Amino acid sequence: MGETEPQPGHLEPRPGQAEQERGHPELECGIGLWDQEVHGNHRLLVDVVAAAPAVAAELPWRRQEMSVRSVTGDVDVIVLAPSGLRVHNTVAVDVTEEHGRIAFEPVEGPGAYAVHYLPYAHTGKPYYPQAAYRPPTRTADPGWAHRCGLDGTGPGGPAVGWALLPRAEAFRYEAASAVDSFAPMGFAATPAERLAVQRAHEGEAFVLYGEDRAHPLGRYGSLPARWARATPGAPLAGTADRGEFYALQVGVFALTDLADLRAEVRGLPFPVRCLSTGGTDARGTAFRREVAVPAGGVSALWLGVDVPEQARPGRYEGEIAVRAQGAPERTLPLLLTVGEDAVADHGAGEPARLARLRWLDSTLAQDDEVVPPFTPVRVDGDRLAILGRTVELGPDGLPRRLTSTFTPSVTGTDGPARALLAAPVTFDVGRPLTYGPLTLDQPGPARVRWTTTATGPDVLLCTEGELEADGFLVVRATVEAGADTELDVRLDVPLREDVARYAMGLGLTGRACPATYDWSWQTPTRNQDALWVGDPAAGLQLSLRDEHYARPLNTNYYREKPLVTPRSWAGDGDGGVRLRTDDGVRRLTAYSGPLRLRAGEGRRFEFRLLLTPFKPLDPARQLGERYYHAYAAPEEVAAYGANVVNLHHATPPNPYINDPLLAAETLRAYTDEAHRLGVRVKVYDTVRELTRYTPELPVLAALGDEIFAPGPGGGHAWLQEHLGRRHVPGWVATDVGDVAVVTSGDSRWHNSYVCGIERLRRVVGVDGLYLDDVAYDRTTMKRVRKALARSGGSAPLVDLHSCNQFREPDGFSSSANLYAELLPYVDRLWLGELFDYDDGDGADPAYWLVEISGVPFGLLGEMLEGGGNPWRGLVFGMTARAPMTDVRPLWRAFDRLRLPEAEMIGWWAGEPPVRTGRDDVLATTWRGPGGTVTALASWAPEPTVAMLSTGSGPVAAYAPAVEGFQPERSFAAGEPVPVTPGRGWLLRIEPPADGAAPATSP
């Protein structure tokens, strides 16, 4: 039973990874082939040299302390004969983490028998499985066990009988795949080996092991056998190319409790940084990370050496110095040989080098430059102007006037100025305040900042604000008590009732804005801190935060990391939000309730106002870009009639979950061919989860909870065996055998992600991204957009898909509201699974407008669940997405009617060009070289008729035949147009004329 080919369906080996090196002190290591779902991922081969009724095997599997358990604690041991048949006469005499002692009947005589020691079964949904490890089961015949002295009836139990049996020697460890293997770092030192190291270094706080980057420690918590048998402090030798970011690790075995571990490299003439102890966060701010290791534990500190491209080849000598709080420094020599070859992009093109770790501290696109189509913020005294919107500040640093010049159809920014506010925004701390001067500055064309301070009885208020070119306005008001006091803080946003027509958020799905509403904080189960109110051409989202805000997880994971309740806005439990309507004003009030502060204590009240819409709609682009959302060869996509293809993960050109660069060459070949055929290529790539095949994953796992979200553990067997018990299980792509772990909502991995996006665009040539829900904030989204725009010759494409997140697992948060801060940098929406397009919420056109369409944010979208409702969708410029739904008949109709060249006037624009005579039959109109075309759809509960007219009177209409959508039909002027509930028509309109006749076919 020697080496075999990897199991079909698996991605083998991990990119850039060679055949497993020997990492086990007693056994050779390799890869085998078997049914993992039956026998698990690991086995030891034992050699039976002669026929016997029973043989005894000592199995040095050296399991980590973090190893999995069954419900009973122990895990079953399964023996397979050379033929692959199970040996039922098997007795586990002694099973520990260190070893196993078993006896079995060699039913097929001499040969190599396989002992599978971590068998499991996956339960639950295929995409989110849960590995249940099999408990020990009795399979041995009692008579056989008695004859062999293994039934435990004599003194000393079965161990006595086991000791008398002939031996079957273990000679090889095998994993089901390279990525499943424990070699070389996952085999734990025995207690005796650990004790030997401790005695040899008695009185020392820790010992060091230099380790090559090819052998990352990951999250294995026990001293590796590889280190226990090495010489602590021995020189670490490595080889780097010129221009390479050379990653290396120093292992620390703690002999006492260690706090505040630090590492540095001295003596090399190159820049070096320690990635494990801090860096630059996703907002460009330096931070420090505390590393602690308990006595008996291990950790790896990762360092990166930036070798300049002009470095002189040769050998360089330095040392790695490690220190811990209250412990003497220890060092080990570092010998770095720089070769003659030079590598491009610091080695990022070869993921196995781990050179992409350099990206963790990147500040790429971390600037205040403008992102198209936005324009620089224009400052005129206290008046700030951005694309389609203006903000006037009061002396308190709060908006006193907000206006929008978006046209009613949201297709331009040259409409009349409309005021959103009925009165200035106020922030009341319950004390009269005296304000100092308001100071403004502009750090870059895309951002303006301001500050002011105010004093009052026993209180100091410091206010900082920012406005960005996309419509993001934030105010951070810090209240500090000068003496023990009680405050009741209130933020009032008085909106004009004629503008605040719709609402979404704080428990409300998209709907007509209620006159009265009350809401309170319930963050453990509610992902709610924001409310959008307005109409399509003017609105705002108010969100409430404080300095403790941390981005929660989303998409089934919210309860693993919910919102942090803001200590300011929630107060002592009495805070909330209320909405009241009176005399043409909708007053939105956020309040803290009684808030007791001690002298010198402060609270920060942060509120964000996203001013919507963010940008004009682009109907021509919406109808002209034909999406194909599935894997197919470029020629198939082009022949279908699509000109944009989205490549999901788990497809041949993009096989890995959220790491498309691992297949860069294949993806580049696909993209080049698609471009030759006029098809643009977008790839699935987000940061919510990360594939187990990412070479850097063990390094990221070693960073504690910084990169990977802490959680209950469990999930797929691979996660349990390699990441221990503190992770959130992610998506499993069953067709390619990929497994992912969930990342944190905010970490340095976002820096790496931005760099990866830039490389995808610049080197691989992709045209944009398909985002399947998003786990990062607007800062990262903005950087992503800049990276895409700056690294390619054409405008990038970004579409965002979301499942309906107004569900218990997601914290009851509407997707459009949840992602509103990202939408300035998105081109198209695709909402999504579990949306109801027909009944329930979908029976309300306000829900379609606010929750699904994207129109109030300056976006158009597409439908998914069940293909959507094509008639209602078309009223919002939406179709379903090919090839899941065949939308080619509609595409052909768009082209015949020349809709991509026409001006779109949505039904939401007020007085529509074409009227239906009913409020529950809505019509959106296009006017262009193809004439006047109207899409109408019914939200009436019963069959009804529409009476089509314009300002000049009744009109005739022609319905072209559109397969699966409508039959060909003509309607004379004044003729009722029948409309079935939930359906509609696509009509070419003819102006009224004397003796009007039915419209005719083009």
Side-chain angles (χ1 to χ4, degrees):
M1 301 185 74
E3 305 238 351
T4 60
E5 291 298 315
Q7 184 172 341
H10 281 275
L11 302 169
E12 301 293 351
R14 180 187 294 171
Q17 182 173 335
E19 165 68 10
Q20 291 293 325
E21 295 185 32
R22 179 178 178 129
H24 196 291
E26 296 91 7
L27 308 174
E28 61 181 78
C29 298
I31 306 301
L33 176 65
W34 62 83
D35 189 339
Q36 295 170 257
E37 293 296 320
V38 175
H39 299 128
N41 302 320
H42 311 278
R43 71 184 184 185
L44 300 184
L45 299 185
V46 298
D47 185 25
V48 175
V49 297
V55 293
E58 176 93 25
L59 305 168
W61 45 52
R62 293 174 170 268
R63 292 184 349 204
Q64 288 276 332
E65 290 179 2
M66 60 182 273
S67 288
V68 293
R69 301 284 188 276
S70 75
V71 291
T72 62
D74 293 331
V75 179
D76 204 6
V77 176
I78 296 174
V79 179
L80 300 184
S83 66
L85 295 177
R86 181 168 183 177
V87 177
H88 291 283
N89 281 338
T90 302
V91 172
V93 175
D94 181 30
V95 173
T96 68
E97 297 284 359
E98 176 184 348
H99 68 263
R101 290 176 178 148
I102 70 168
F104 64 91
E105 180 185 10
V107 292
E108 296 180 5
Y113 287 72
V115 182
H116 295 261
Y117 60 95
L118 287 175
Y120 60 83
H122 276 134
T123 61
K125 296 180 179 179
Y127 297 123
Y128 291 101
Q130 182 70 34
Y133 284 83
R134 301 180 189 276
T137 55
R138 293 179 178 271
T139 61
D141 175 68
W144 172 85
H146 179 72
R147 290 191 300 273
C148 298
L150 299 170
D151 58 356
T153 57
V160 174
W162 179 89
L164 300 175
L165 295 175
R167 289 290 185 268
E169 295 296 333
F171 67 92
R172 180 177 171 86
Y173 160 83
E174 287 188 341
S177 72
V179 75
D180 283 302
S181 180
F182 288 139
M185 305 301 290
F187 301 116
T190 65
E193 290 167 341
R194 290 196 297 270
L195 182 60
V197 176
Q198 292 166 339
R199 285 177 173 171
H201 298 274
E202 190 172 355
E204 300 176 18
F206 58 90
V207 295
L208 303 179
Y209 299 92
E211 186 58 82
D212 185 81
R213 62 187 175 188
H215 308 139
L217 175 64
R219 278 197 180 170
Y220 297 129
S222 299
L223 179 68
R226 176 184 175 90
W227 287 354
R229 298 192 170 208
T231 302
L236 171 60
T239 301
D241 288 331
R242 292 184 296 119
E244 180 179 1
F245 182 77
Y246 179 73
L248 58 99
Q249 62 183 321
V250 55
V252 179
F253 177 38
L255 305 178
T256 62
D257 290 340
L258 301 178
D260 197 20
L261 269 175
R262 302 274 134 194
E264 65 175 322
V265 172
R266 296 194 286 249
L268 294 185
F270 313 132
V272 184
R273 64 179 183 266
C274 181
L275 302 170
S276 299
T277 56
T280 304
D281 69 17
R283 281 160 297 284
T285 303
F287 75 99
R288 181 174 172 178
R289 178 174 174 270
E290 296 283 338
V291 178
V293 186
V298 292
S299 182
L301 299 176
W302 282 88
L303 302 114
V305 182
D306 257 314
V307 180
E309 190 171 351
Q310 66 274 19
R312 176 180 55 82
R315 175 166 155 161
Y316 295 83
E317 296 185 5
E319 65 178 11
I320 303 173
V322 178
R323 60 185 181 276
Q325 189 177 82
E329 176 182 282
R330 299 193 66 83
T331 63
L332 62 79
L334 174 61
L335 309 176
L336 181 62
T337 300
V338 176
E340 296 282 350
D341 294 337
V343 66
D345 291 339
H346 306 281
E350 301 174 55
R353 290 179 184 260
L354 304 188
R356 296 189 302 179
L357 291 172
R358 185 177 187 271
W359 294 348
L360 283 177
D361 295 319
S362 172
T363 57
L364 179 68
Q366 194 80 262
D367 56 49
D368 290 313
E369 298 301 315
V370 173
V371 180
F374 303 112
T375 56
V377 184
R378 301 188 305 278
V379 182
D380 182 10
D382 57 8
R383 184 177 184 274
L384 313 176
I386 59 176
L387 180 69
R389 293 145 292 174
T390 59
V391 177
E392 292 183 24
L393 298 174
D396 54 3
L398 305 179
R400 65 183 178 189
R401 183 174 173 82
L402 300 172
T403 58
S404 170
T405 59
F406 277 88
T407 60
S409 282
V410 200
T411 53
T413 59
D414 55 351
R418 298 174 65 213
L420 280 74
L421 298 178
V425 174
T426 61
F427 183 79
D428 184 6
V429 299
R431 302 279 194 281
L433 298 174
T434 301
Y435 283 88
L438 183 68
T439 303
L440 284 82
D441 75 298
Q442 189 164 11
R447 185 161 64 112
V448 169
R449 303 178 298 197
W450 59 89
T451 60
T452 186
T453 58
T455 56
D458 299 329
V459 69
L460 171 67
L461 174 64
C462 298
T463 303
E464 300 174 342
E466 298 180 21
L467 175 67
E468 296 194 31
D470 58 5
F472 171 77
L473 190 160
V474 60
V475 174
R476 302 178 185 93
T478 302
V479 180
E480 183 177 325
D484 292 354
T485 189
E486 182 176 292
L487 303 176
D488 191 344
V489 177
R490 293 191 310 166
L491 170 70
D492 278 322
V493 183
L495 298 161
R496 290 177 46 186
E497 184 180 1
D498 62 336
V499 173
R501 297 163 53 205
Y502 303 98
M504 172 179 59
L506 300 185
L508 296 173
T509 54
R511 65 185 67 193
C513 186
T516 301
Y517 187 64
D518 290 276
W519 175 89
S520 59
W521 294 92
Q522 301 175 58
T523 55
T525 59
R526 299 292 188 271
N527 188 8
Q528 297 171 3
D529 64 357
L531 176 71
W532 177 87
V533 287
D535 70 13
L540 59 81
Q541 184 201 60
L542 170 67
S543 59
L544 305 169
R545 302 180 180 182
D546 69 3
E547 70 273 25
H548 305 292
Y549 175 83
R551 188 172 181 85
L553 298 181
N554 63 340
T555 316
N556 299 321
Y557 307 128
Y558 175 73
R559 288 167 296 184
E560 307 297 344
K561 184 188 175 186
L563 280 168
V564 177
T565 305
R567 294 178 60 245
S568 53
W569 292 112
D572 294 325
D574 298 318
V577 176
R578 60 176 172 261
L579 178 66
R580 300 289 184 267
T581 305
D582 183 51
D583 197 22
V585 178
R586 294 205 198 278
R587 188 172 300 277
L588 186 60
T589 303
Y591 55 90
S592 68
L595 188 64
R596 290 169 289 278
L597 298 179
R598 296 187 300 275
E601 185 181 1
R603 297 285 175 92
R604 190 170 91 179
F605 295 80
E606 178 178 313
F607 61 93
R608 298 180 170 203
L609 300 176
L610 294 178
L611 307 181
T612 63
F614 300 118
K615 53 193 174 184
L617 300 175
D618 192 346
R621 180 178 179 182
Q622 174 77 10
L623 296 182
E625 291 172 352
R626 278 74 189 275
Y627 270 68
Y628 190 94
H629 192 94
Y631 168 69
E635 54 269 24
E636 294 179 61
V637 176
Y640 190 91
N643 52 28
V644 180
V645 61
N646 272 359
L647 293 178
H648 207 273
H649 62 214
T651 57
N654 185 25
Y656 304 98
I657 299 174
N658 291 333
D659 199 346
L661 287 172
L662 297 183
E665 293 184 9
T666 303
L667 184 57
R668 177 59 191 261
Y670 182 97
T671 301
D672 287 346
E673 178 62 13
H675 287 172
R676 188 184 68 81
L677 297 170
V679 176
R680 286 177 287 179
V681 177
K682 297 167 58 261
V683 294
Y684 183 116
D685 190 14
T686 73
V687 301
R688 186 185 68 218
E689 296 154 308
L690 184 63
T691 170
R692 63 174 174 170
Y693 289 98
T694 291
E696 297 89 350
L697 187 141
V699 183
L700 307 180
L703 297 178
D705 296 337
E706 182 193 347
I707 306 298
F708 296 138
H716 191 279
W718 187 90
L719 299 174
Q720 299 189 44
E721 291 169 4
H722 297 276
L723 294 185
R725 303 186 183 93
R726 189 173 168 81
H727 62 270
V728 178
W731 180 265
V732 173
T734 57
D735 47 352
V736 293
D738 201 1
V739 178
V741 59
V742 174
T743 60
S744 169
D746 185 15
S747 75
R748 279 187 293 172
W749 188 241
H750 297 177
N751 295 332
S752 184
Y753 173 73
V754 172
C755 293
I757 296 303
E758 188 274 342
R759 186 171 181 84
L760 276 173
R761 178 86 156 138
R762 173 175 56 87
V763 177
V764 180
V766 302
D767 299 281
L769 297 177
Y770 164 62
L771 301 177
D772 184 356
D773 281 303
V774 182
Y776 48 78
D777 65 0
R778 67 179 304 277
T779 298
T780 300
M781 184 74 248
K782 182 169 51 173
R783 294 173 66 193
V784 165
R785 187 77 194 194
K786 291 176 183 178
L788 287 169
R790 295 170 184 176
S791 52
S794 59
L797 303 177
V798 178
D799 68 314
L800 187 153
H801 162 70
S802 179
C803 178
N804 187 352
Q805 305 218 3
F806 200 85
R807 306 181 306 132
E808 182 181 358
D810 306 304
F812 296 101
S813 180
S814 299
S815 297
N817 199 51
L818 179 67
Y819 295 126
E821 67 176 9
L822 311 180
L823 300 187
Y825 307 102
V826 170
D827 299 295
R828 182 180 297 230
L829 292 178
W830 194 26
L831 309 175
E833 293 103 331
L834 304 180
F835 281 88
D836 187 346
Y837 299 109
D838 294 305
D839 304 313
D841 287 325
D844 181 0
Y847 177 81
W848 277 78
L849 177 66
V850 177
E851 188 102 0
I852 297 174
S853 74
V855 168
F857 304 99
L859 290 172
L860 295 170
E862 288 168 314
M863 302 171 289
L864 174 57
E865 186 74 27
N869 182 309
W871 300 275
R872 289 177 174 177
L874 195 53
V875 168
F876 295 91
M878 299 192 297
T879 66
R881 185 167 285 187
M884 289 165 277
T885 300
D886 189 354
V887 292
R888 286 176 294 182
L890 278 173
W891 289 351
R892 290 190 288 266
F894 295 163
D895 292 339
R896 288 198 305 272
L897 297 168
R898 302 181 70 177
L899 293 192
E901 305 168 65
E903 174 195 12
M904 176 181 174
I905 304 97
W907 66 266
W908 53 86
E911 190 65 26
V914 177
R915 305 163 193 168
T916 67
R918 292 188 63 93
D919 291 338
D920 51 9
V921 178
L922 305 178
T924 287
T925 299
W926 289 263
R927 292 189 296 204
T932 299
V933 178
T934 291
L936 59 89
S938 174
W939 274 265
E942 305 291 340
T944 187
V945 295
M947 304 298 294
L948 302 181
S949 65
T950 66
S952 302
V955 292
Y958 167 72
V962 181
E963 182 182 353
F965 186 86
Q966 67 186 22
E968 183 179 21
R969 186 166 175 181
S970 297
F971 301 96
E975 179 182 354
V977 177
V979 189
T980 302
R983 294 200 169 201
W985 296 89
L986 178 62
L987 304 168
R988 194 191 70 188
I989 303 299
E990 292 192 354
D994 293 337
T1000 58
S1001 172

